[in-house]
Amino acid sequence: MTTEVSNGVNVQALLEAREVLKGAPEAAQFTWRASSKWQSGVHSTTTIQNFFGLGQEQSHKKEAVLDADHPEVFAAEDNDITPIEYLLVGLASCLTAGVASVAQNRGIQLRSVEATLEGHHDIRGILGVDSDVRNGFTDVKVTFNIDADASEQDIEALVGQSQKRSAVFGALTNPTDITVEVA
Amino acid sequence: MTTEVSNGVNVQALLEAREVLKGAPEAAQFTWRASSKWQSGVHSTTTIQNFFGLGQEQSHKKEAVLDADHPEVFAAEDNDITPIEYLLVGLASCLTAGVASVAQNRGIQLRSVEATLEGHHDIRGILGVDSDVRNGFTDVKVTFNIDADASEQDIEALVGQSQKRSAVFGALTNPTDITVEVA
């Protein structure tokens, strides 16, 4: 039993949601939304608060306001991190949330979970130097450091299961269909 | 000539960088880095400051600290936006930066650039309800609203060129190679 384990994840609610959504696929259709506004140069501000899910409009408790810019080596003002670094934030946090959820479900008490990420990027693609170079990451490496009441093997399995169910890992490792329009 | 146009992008420096990098591909190899720390439940904090590029260690002016969590409808505490929403931040800001850069290069004065994004997501994938449902977005729709000294056709072309050279659009629409390890 997992009663003594507390990683702060309400796994029971998630397992119940899984059962409910088996018979109600329409409730599982979420829409995440963002609005962005150009500031100047390559600096923009994106806000996020509302989304749709479980058949109705939903809202985060507070609005998130996130700036992105480019560093001085790109001849920009470095008001904040770059757009591509936001992908690393999403990846790190999604895999970490997965590790906590799976650990809770498997009765493994976590003490600490840290991850370091490296995204390799050949900027000749985005600068148009060589059209054979991809615009996105060449590859991304994620390294977890986990302290938990579990064997090395169980920790490896936790991380493996987290990847298997990660929204962001899935979105990045598979082609995502994106349509861009002008209103 | 584009002398009267000012979108705040130093296109001259970017064009010079393109020339320099043609003969120095090793300088174009960047590494973007992030470190994340689990807080509790599905809440984590990611920090970003240093990166590598142009052959040496680089640093943003300030450290970025970004929290991610899940909303109350996921039985979580909603301390901040979800990991998958960070992908929308990256996509919005990358395409917007591209629009500003291409406009500058083409001598088009921008007055405002706004984008709204919708990421559709069937959460039956991540909950393990149906293994045929993908974990990531079903699809993403980006709608630009651009006020600029240009024809509709030129604005469409701006947005098209921005997609063509966008790091984040490229990373999401193509499969990205991600390796996850336990230290």
Side-chain angles (χ1 to χ4, degrees):
Chain A
M1 295 306 292
T2 66
T3 42
E4 307 101 36
V5 169
S6 175
N7 295 319
V9 180
N10 189 341
V11 161
Q12 197 51 43
L14 296 175
L15 294 174
E16 284 166 18
R18 174 155 79 182
E19 287 312 304
V20 169
L21 294 177
K22 270 182 190 165
E26 67 289 354
Q29 307 308 314
F30 275 63
T31 300
W32 303 106
R33 300 197 193 100
S35 301
S36 75
K37 222 179 157 103
W38 173 60
Q39 300 290 349
S40 174
V42 289
H43 175 205
S44 66
T45 304
T46 302
T47 55
I48 290 181
Q49 180 153 30
N50 299 315
F51 59 98
F52 182 89
L54 303 183
Q56 59 184 43
E57 284 298 315
Q58 307 280 355
S59 182
H60 286 294
K61 278 191 219 165
K62 61 174 198 282
E63 182 184 62
V65 181
L66 298 146
D67 283 66
D69 199 356
H70 286 71
E72 292 177 338
V73 292
F74 282 68
E77 292 188 350
D78 196 27
N79 288 290
D80 216 313
I81 61 170
T82 61
I84 204 168
E85 288 171 300
Y86 277 108
L87 301 188
L88 298 183
V89 177
L91 182 61
S93 56
C94 199
L95 290 172
T96 300
V99 166
S101 303
V102 177
Q104 185 70 35
N105 196 35
R106 295 185 178 179
I108 296 172
Q109 180 64 52
L110 297 173
R111 276 184 295 266
S112 73
V113 181
E114 291 181 17
T116 55
L117 288 83
E118 288 201 340
H120 300 114
H121 189 205
D122 185 339
I123 66 164
R124 290 179 300 163
I126 55 173
L127 285 173
V129 174
D130 183 342
S131 58
D132 288 338
V133 174
R134 61 193 298 162
N135 293 322
F137 292 118
T138 313
D139 60 77
V140 178
K141 190 172 175 187
V142 182
T143 308
F144 272 101
N145 237 300
I146 298 176
D147 182 13
D149 283 331
S151 67
E152 269 184 53
Q153 204 179 354
D154 286 349
I155 290 174
E156 291 272 2
L158 272 186
V159 172
Q161 181 64 20
S162 170
Q163 281 175 76
K164 201 178 154 191
R165 291 272 178 258
S166 165
V168 172
F169 184 83
L172 285 169
T173 54
N174 296 289
T176 297
D177 178 23
I178 302 178
T179 310
V180 183
E181 284 175 8
V182 179
Chain B
M1 296 306 294
T2 66
T3 43
E4 307 101 37
V5 169
S6 176
N7 296 319
V9 180
N10 189 342
V11 162
Q12 196 52 43
L14 296 176
L15 294 174
E16 285 167 16
R18 174 155 78 183
E19 287 312 304
V20 168
L21 294 178
K22 271 183 188 164
E26 68 288 353
Q29 307 308 313
F30 274 63
T31 300
W32 304 106
R33 300 196 193 102
S35 300
S36 76
K37 222 178 157 107
W38 173 60
Q39 300 289 349
S40 173
V42 289
H43 175 206
S44 65
T45 304
T46 302
T47 56
I48 289 180
Q49 180 155 27
N50 300 314
F51 58 99
F52 181 89
L54 304 184
Q56 60 184 44
E57 283 298 316
Q58 307 280 355
S59 183
H60 287 294
K61 278 191 218 162
K62 62 174 197 283
E63 182 185 61
V65 180
L66 299 145
D67 282 66
D69 198 356
H70 286 71
E72 292 177 339
V73 292
F74 282 68
E77 293 190 350
D78 196 25
N79 287 291
D80 216 313
I81 60 170
T82 61
I84 204 168
E85 287 171 301
Y86 276 108
L87 302 188
L88 299 182
V89 177
L91 182 61
S93 55
C94 199
L95 290 172
T96 300
V99 166
S101 303
V102 176
Q104 185 69 35
N105 196 34
R106 295 185 179 179
I108 296 171
Q109 181 64 52
L110 298 173
R111 277 183 295 268
S112 71
V113 181
E114 290 181 16
T116 55
L117 288 83
E118 289 202 340
H120 300 114
H121 190 205
D122 184 340
I123 65 164
R124 290 179 301 162
I126 55 173
L127 285 173
V129 173
D130 183 343
S131 59
D132 287 339
V133 175
R134 61 192 298 163
N135 292 322
F137 292 118
T138 314
D139 60 77
V140 179
K141 190 172 173 188
V142 183
T143 308
F144 272 101
N145 238 299
I146 297 177
D147 182 13
D149 283 331
S151 67
E152 269 184 52
Q153 205 180 353
D154 286 349
I155 290 174
E156 292 272 2
L158 271 187
V159 172
Q161 182 64 19
S162 171
Q163 282 174 77
K164 202 180 155 192
R165 291 271 179 259
S166 165
V168 172
F169 184 84
L172 285 169
T173 55
N174 296 288
T176 297
D177 177 22
I178 303 178
T179 309
V180 183
E181 284 175 9
V182 179

